[in-house]
Amino acid sequence: MMHESRGGFGRVLATAVLALILTIVPVPTPIGWLRPDWLLLVVIYWSLATPRIAGLLFAWLCGMVIDVVSGTVLGEHALAFLLVGFLTHRLQLRMRIFPIWQQAFVVLLMLLIYQFLIFWIDGMTGQAVMTWRRWIPAIAGAAIWPLITSVMDTLNRRFSR
Amino acid sequence: MATLSSDSRPIIGRGPSLGARFFFLALISVGIMVLDHRQGALDSVRQWLLSSVYPVFRVVDVPFNAWDWVGSSFADRSRLREQSGKLAGELRVANLRLQRLESLTQENRQLRDLRSASTGIADRSLVAEILRVDLDPFRHRVLINKGANASVYKGQAVLAADGVFGQVDRAGLGAAQVILITDSEHATPVQVNRNGLRTIAVGTGEIAKLTLPFLTVDSDVKVGDLLITSGLGGIFPAGYPVAEITKVERDAAETFAIVEAKPLAKLDRDREVLLIWSEPVPSLDSAPPATTKPTP
């Protein structure tokens, strides 16, 4: 299902930048709560599709960018991204043969772990945001996962020819 | 096309295992977090990092700016005339007030000199534009297009047209992050304009609400009171309007009253804000930060 490819570093970088833009593009507030963690989803996708290019360092650096952009303590999102990247790399072989809904479920668990870690570090370093809405992006991310994989798979196949 | 090994790197020159790499990077993250949080030692690093992602912010902001430009260049004549008439009227009123303000400022300065008060009067200001990017839906932070290049510093007061907006939290080279007064990590030293009662207005994370948790049940506040900056804390110059009290709830059994206020600045709608340099430029080490949240 996932398409293995070589030399796709440019592709990985381009999608990461696109995900970053989607992360900060302004939308009205109610939709803003729904916004999934685009960059993290891209990291999970590439960790599954081309683990050789998108290694742990890639995940870590993406998290660092989110730290800089959102003004949180440096290293907070980096650590959370790293953990998700690590889990994905460990489960990579199993996840690749999962049916898509099952894959989405595993992604949901990962996004929840991610949110929880952020919540926890927030609580230690300052003021944690105490609202149930902070869990919405995880659900939205898992819901949109099948769409992301199909779009990225298609692009991947087209460009690797 | 799945490979059989979970680690698809070549066997020769593999380097450390996945777990080891994870552990190593995790350790670095924790180290960076401690450095950044405890000592604030990474401020200059952060400045550079913020500047390096600035192009991405710009890319997001440009289409919206272009749309604004198109909108304003095709604005029809009658609307522009109406607008200019309104602005002329406002300017007249503002000029009248300004004439009085000059003498008042002078008088105020003399009185302050007599009392050798330390709270300064804002004397230099700079208009900054808010970039249209969303940083974090649960935190009230915005990005402005002026940074350390324009000698913007961390902890600088930011005002909007109708009231206090926030303060600079992280200053990059050409951009800075501003934390709004309604962010749940922000506290503003205020006083009630009517009677000079000093307290602290704490952000709630909601854009139209501040709470004042340190007012006792018998303190003299009522709905409609204006809150102004008290000048304590050394960040905000004294006397700028902050918020208006919207709710006072007194329960005789409790020690503290439940008091809420609504910020006067249009925090979610303003596009331009004013950076303020106070008269005695507060040095970073001598000014206690206003954001330190007192333990309840």
Side-chain angles (χ1 to χ4, degrees):
Chain A
M1 188 202 61
M2 298 271 182
H3 202 79
E4 184 79 55
S5 61
R6 268 159 275 117
F9 183 72
R11 234 172 301 159
V12 173
L13 201 65
T15 48
V17 170
L18 189 68
L20 182 62
I21 287 174
L22 282 176
T23 308
I24 58 174
V25 77
V27 291
T29 317
I31 304 171
W33 289 331
L34 274 174
R35 188 199 310 260
D37 304 294
W38 291 109
L39 194 54
L40 186 62
L41 291 172
V42 165
V43 166
I44 296 176
Y45 176 84
W46 287 118
S47 300
L48 290 175
T50 63
R52 213 188 291 188
I53 297 167
L56 289 186
L57 192 63
F58 170 70
W60 189 75
L61 287 175
C62 285
M64 204 50 120
V65 170
I66 294 290
D67 275 330
V68 173
V69 165
S70 62
T72 48
V73 177
L74 275 185
E76 174 177 356
H77 286 86
L79 183 64
F81 268 63
L82 179 70
L83 180 65
V84 171
F86 174 68
L87 289 175
T88 317
H89 276 262
R90 286 307 292 268
L91 299 173
Q92 182 223 353
L93 275 191
R94 260 166 283 177
M95 279 182 74
R96 282 164 69 124
I97 53 170
F98 278 169
I100 192 69
W101 62 267
Q102 203 174 346
Q103 213 176 51
F105 182 72
V106 177
V107 169
L108 174 67
L109 287 184
M110 284 183 182
L111 293 177
L112 288 175
I113 291 171
Y114 167 80
Q115 283 292 348
F116 181 77
L117 192 59
I118 295 293
F119 181 61
W120 192 48
I121 301 175
D122 266 358
M124 280 199 298
T125 56
Q127 204 71 4
V129 183
M130 291 290 193
T131 165
W132 56 272
R133 289 195 203 98
R134 78 151 43 230
W135 305 100
I136 299 179
I139 297 165
I144 210 168
W145 176 255
L147 186 68
I148 289 179
T149 49
S150 62
V151 169
M152 300 265 277
D153 276 346
T154 314
L155 290 178
N156 229 354
R157 226 166 277 139
R158 180 160 303 164
F159 282 109
S160 57
R161 286 239 169 93
Chain B
M1 277 156 256
T3 45
L4 281 178
S5 156
S6 74
D7 191 348
S8 46
R9 290 168 301 139
I11 290 171
I12 299 165
R14 266 194 165 189
S17 72
L18 190 68
R21 277 180 296 149
F22 170 72
F23 187 71
F24 179 66
L25 283 174
L27 221 58
I28 292 182
S29 315
V30 173
I32 291 175
M33 269 192 274
V34 170
L35 273 181
D36 192 29
H37 183 57
R38 294 284 152 132
Q39 273 95 29
L42 298 175
D43 278 353
S44 55
V45 177
R46 194 184 267 281
Q47 196 173 63
W48 281 103
L49 288 173
L50 190 60
S51 313
S52 61
V53 291
Y54 186 65
V56 182
F57 290 128
R58 221 48 238 176
V59 164
V60 174
D61 188 53
V62 157
F64 289 93
N65 264 340
W67 180 248
D68 271 4
W69 185 83
V70 169
S72 61
S73 41
F74 287 100
D76 53 282
R77 217 180 134 85
S78 64
R79 214 184 78 203
L80 283 178
R81 189 176 288 167
E82 186 186 321
Q83 204 174 12
S84 115
K86 209 178 90 191
L87 288 176
E90 275 175 19
L91 188 65
R92 213 171 300 129
V93 174
N95 270 337
L96 271 175
R97 286 216 186 118
L98 205 60
Q99 284 172 17
R100 236 180 62 216
L101 190 71
E102 283 298 323
S103 63
L104 282 177
T105 309
Q106 196 52 43
E107 193 181 328
N108 192 347
R109 194 167 294 170
Q110 281 162 4
L111 287 172
R112 268 168 203 282
D113 280 347
L114 284 178
R115 288 172 52 208
S116 65
S118 61
T119 49
I121 303 160
D123 75 336
R124 192 158 80 82
S125 65
L126 177 71
V127 174
E129 199 176 309
I130 297 176
L131 292 185
R132 253 172 296 197
V133 291
D134 281 359
L135 298 182
D136 189 331
F138 305 112
R139 286 161 193 278
H140 295 170
R141 278 149 213 246
V142 293
L143 204 73
I144 55 172
N145 67 348
K146 295 281 189 301
N149 286 343
S151 60
V152 171
Y153 57 91
K154 185 177 172 172
Q156 187 173 18
V158 181
L159 306 179
D162 307 307
V164 172
F165 191 80
Q167 61 171 292
V168 175
D169 189 28
R170 322 236 188 237
L173 286 181
Q177 248 176 44
V178 173
I179 174 168
L180 270 56
I181 53 171
T182 49
D183 188 285
S184 55
E185 281 184 46
H186 194 271
T188 321
V190 293
Q191 67 185 105
V192 178
N193 195 27
R194 184 164 52 85
N195 53 17
L197 180 69
R198 276 191 293 271
T199 183
I200 288 170
V202 180
T204 56
E206 281 174 55
I207 203 78
K209 199 164 99 181
L210 293 168
T211 57
L212 290 85
F214 309 113
L215 285 171
T216 50
V217 279
D218 52 352
S219 50
D220 180 19
V221 280
K222 56 180 192 242
V223 172
D225 275 351
L226 176 72
L227 296 173
I228 58 172
T229 49
S230 66
L232 297 179
I235 300 258
F236 298 105
Y240 285 93
V242 179
E244 196 183 272
I245 303 267
T246 51
K247 184 175 136 188
V248 181
E249 229 175 77
R250 291 188 173 88
D251 181 352
E254 299 284 333
T255 317
F256 293 104
I258 298 169
V259 184
E260 286 171 7
K262 185 176 180 298
L264 293 170
K266 296 184 203 70
L267 296 173
D268 51 347
R269 262 163 289 160
D270 277 327
R271 291 275 297 126
E272 276 172 350
V273 291
L274 217 57
L275 291 156
I276 293 291
W277 280 266
S278 297
E279 212 165 46
V281 177
S283 58
L284 280 177
D285 46 1
S286 68
T291 40
T292 43
K293 193 155 178 183
T295 42

